[in-house]
Amino acid sequence: MILLTGSNGQVGFELASRLPALGSVVCAARSDADIALDLGDLGAIEKALDAQRPRIIVNAAAYTAVDAAEDNAELADRVNHRAVAVLGAWAARNNALVVHYSTDYVFAGNGEAPYCEDEPIAPQSVYGRSKADGETALRASGAAHLILRTAWVYAPRGKNFLLTMLRAAAERERLRVVDDQIGCPTTAATLAEITTHMLAAPGLRENSGTYHAVSTGSVSWCGFARAIIQGAHQRGLLARATPVDAIATGDYPAKARRPAYSVLSTEKLQRVFGIVPPSWQAGLDATLDRL
Ligand SMILES: NC(=O)c1ccc[n+]([C@@H]2O[C@H](COP(=O)([O-])OP(=O)(O)OC[C@H]3O[C@@H](n4cnc5c(N)ncnc54)[C@H](OP(=O)(O)O)[C@@H]3O)[C@@H](O)[C@H]2O)c1
């Protein structure tokens, strides 16, 4: 049995429709799921696992509010780090495998070439630190695991940059978007497909470890916004192609510090699992087609 946490989140929702191809799935979330589970309640996690006894745990739940985390460090740490330690410890004792998601925000972002998995991390925010600590705890647990670092996740539903841009473009004359942060926009569907392929691959446990799982190519938030608006206009989702002005990070103050360059190399994912993720433009087209 596969236990899926965070089944109402962007990634969890896409996983919930794909994982059943691999076996029976129990969805766990704070509400609207097969079982209720609050990852902030560390004692409840072990009880749920003892009751369900999964052979695979897919942890798509996380505290993902990057700016709010600066003021909620304890909760971010509990959900993104200590809860992951509990999942890992249970999995190690019970010979289960844990799939866990992490983030490009574990890196400092002052590089100029795509980050590989084994490069030193230096998170710049409370969220990034909590995710980095979650990775470390899972590795230390001794459980078989896949840590999939992803980035700039969006989907046709949920809280994300694409939906924010479409709303803003419909309401305003012009938009101003940061042009000096570069990353890899990745759809939740792409990540769910990569996950499902990895779980179906032979020799999964021998390939336990950390992988970068993002779309290929890279773009700034401003370039991404322009592509979203152009694609939406072409599909008749926006009446006009609202212009987007490029601004600097300093012109858009945010509580949390974000990496300037957090492009992730997917070379290891391709080499070990033979998975070539789609380009970010293909992911965007597929998402706009679903709207
Ligand atoms: N979004 C991004 O841009 C991004 C970038 C890099 C990495 N990631 C990582 O990718 C993974 C999936 O992210 P996502 O984009 O799917 O996030 P999301 O849409 O924000 O979903 C997160 C899910 O976690 C659940 N959750 C939060 N706190 C919880 C708690 N205390 N107990 C149980 N469930 C809780 C939320 O439940 P409710 O529905 O009840 O709120 C939500 O369903 C996460 O590990 C995230 O860190 C995301």
Side-chain angles (χ1 to χ4, degrees):
M1 188 273 278
I2 302 172
L3 182 77
L4 170 64
T5 68
S7 50
N8 299 321
Q10 298 189 90
V11 176
F13 182 81
E14 298 292 337
L15 284 164
S17 62
R18 289 170 175 82
L19 290 178
L22 304 174
S24 68
V25 176
V26 170
C27 292
R30 286 188 285 198
S31 59
D32 300 324
D34 301 322
I35 63 165
L37 181 60
D38 182 346
L39 287 191
D41 181 353
L42 299 180
I45 301 172
E46 196 163 324
K47 281 191 198 127
L49 292 171
D50 281 338
Q52 299 296 329
R53 306 208 60 77
R55 94 193 140 83
I56 297 173
I57 301 165
V58 180
N59 181 32
Y63 184 99
T64 56
V66 176
D67 289 311
E70 297 294 313
D71 295 324
N72 292 290
E74 195 281 327
L75 182 58
D77 179 72
R78 202 168 351 126
V79 176
N80 292 347
H81 164 211
R82 285 187 287 149
V84 181
V86 175
L87 295 175
W90 189 91
R93 278 199 307 279
N94 293 279
N95 203 27
L97 177 133
V98 182
V99 180
H100 177 64
Y101 299 94
S102 189
T103 172
D104 56 333
Y105 285 8
V106 297
F107 290 112
N110 48 9
E112 286 176 355
Y115 283 100
C116 294
E117 287 79 355
D118 54 3
E119 285 187 56
I121 59 169
Q124 303 291 301
S125 62
V126 168
Y127 167 77
R129 167 52 58 198
S130 70
K131 296 294 292 184
D133 290 345
E135 289 187 2
T136 306
L138 182 52
R139 285 185 204 110
S141 73
H145 64 268
L146 297 173
I147 294 171
L148 306 184
R149 288 196 190 125
T150 190
W152 297 26
V153 177
Y154 67 102
R157 61 189 288 287
K159 230 179 143 193
N160 60 60
F161 184 79
L162 175 130
L163 295 178
T164 302
M165 284 305 111
L166 291 181
R167 256 193 318 273
E171 285 166 6
R172 297 193 214 145
E173 283 298 306
R174 309 184 70 84
L175 304 183
R176 300 167 76 235
V177 179
V178 169
D179 198 34
D180 55 0
Q181 289 173 30
I182 315 285
C184 309
T186 303
T187 72
T190 293
L191 196 52
E193 260 150 40
I194 290 173
T195 305
T196 313
H197 275 106
M198 291 174 94
L199 286 174
L204 178 61
R205 281 172 181 260
E206 295 83 83
N207 292 321
S208 190
T210 303
Y211 294 85
H212 289 169
V214 289
S215 277
T216 53
S218 61
V219 67
S220 72
W221 287 116
C222 179
F224 187 33
R226 286 179 177 147
I228 290 168
I229 290 169
Q230 197 168 20
H233 177 55
Q234 281 162 359
R235 287 168 178 78
L237 298 167
L238 283 174
R240 54 191 275 276
T242 310
V244 182
D245 299 324
I247 60 168
T249 297
D251 297 328
Y252 186 80
K255 206 142 205 178
R257 250 181 96 174
R258 288 163 169 80
Y261 180 91
S262 59
V263 179
L264 304 182
S265 164
T266 55
E267 191 273 329
K268 184 180 174 190
L269 185 71
Q270 300 186 24
R271 179 167 39 83
V272 178
F273 282 94
I275 297 172
V276 182
S279 68
W280 69 263
Q281 293 94 333
L284 174 58
D285 283 340
T287 307
L288 290 172
D289 286 343
R290 286 173 66 186
L291 285 174

